[in-house]
Every structure is written in C-alpha cells, then in structure tokens.
Amino acid sequence: MKGFGNIMKEAQKLQQQMEALQAEAAKKKVQATAGGGMVTVEANGKQEILSIKIDREVINPEDAQMLEDLVLAACNEALRQSREMVQADMSKLTAGLKIPGLGM
C-alpha cells in the first residue's frame, strides 16, 4: 500500500503546515473602528481581542448605551476581519480546497 503511505505523509505535512499557520496567525493583527474612529479594537488571528481604545469625547455618562454599541460594533468587525485574514491564509495552504475540521 505505497499509496496509503504517501497519503499519510501528505496529511502529516499538511498538519505541520496548519500548526505553523496557527502560530503565525497568533502574531498577525487587525484593527477595526466604530463611530468614525472613536472606538478602535485590535484583534489577532486567533480571534482574541488584544486592545480597545476609546476616545474621551465619546465617553458620556448620560449615554452609556452608545459607547457600548460602538465597542460591540468595533469588536465584531475586528473579529470578522481576523477570521477573513485566517481564511485567506488557509486557502493559500489548501489551494482553496475546503477541508472539514481544518478551520481555525
């Protein structure tokens, strides 16, 4: 079964490449803003929020809901960009082939 051995070697090689991709994704960062730049959120390729910056002008004790909405919007956008970044890197690795269970 020489063919099966080659398949296993290719699978192991793909697994090593995936691990390297995941490690590299953790180092990559994306930034998203909301409210015209009043709230900025930074995330990495592991879909972790790294930082949140809030402009003092948007802090209004009388309207906490607006600030909460801006933070939520910026976080969701940063995470969306992070997923897109990782998917783009993943598609390079798999040549666009969708492989169930290999998503990050």
Side-chain angles (χ1 to χ4, degrees), residues 29-42:
K29 299 175 184 176
V30 296
Q31 263 191 1
T33 63
M38 299 297 258
V39 175
T40 302
V41 174
E42 185 175 69

Side-chain angles (χ1 to χ4, degrees), residues 43-49 79 81-86 104:
N44 66 14
K46 290 176 63 176
Q47 284 79 59
E48 298 171 333
I49 301 297
L79 293 175
Q81 288 180 22
S82 174
R83 283 189 299 272
E84 281 185 0
M85 176 184 64
V86 171
M104 293 174 106

Side-chain angles (χ1 to χ4, degrees), residues 20-83:
L21 179 71
Q22 289 172 335
E24 203 54 40
K27 297 175 189 174
K28 291 184 177 182
K29 299 175 184 176
V30 296
Q31 263 191 1
T33 63
M38 299 297 258
V39 175
T40 302
V41 174
E42 185 175 69
N44 66 14
K46 290 176 63 176
Q47 284 79 59
E48 298 171 333
I49 301 297
L50 301 175
S51 69
I52 298 174
K53 293 185 173 93
I54 300 171
D55 190 308
R56 288 183 173 268
E57 292 178 31
V58 78
I59 300 172
N60 179 354
E62 302 299 318
D63 193 5
Q65 181 67 46
M66 181 186 69
L67 180 55
E68 291 168 354
D69 291 345
L70 291 174
V71 171
L72 183 62
C75 286
N76 283 331
E77 178 60 19
L79 293 175
R80 184 193 65 75
Q81 288 180 22
S82 174
R83 283 189 299 272

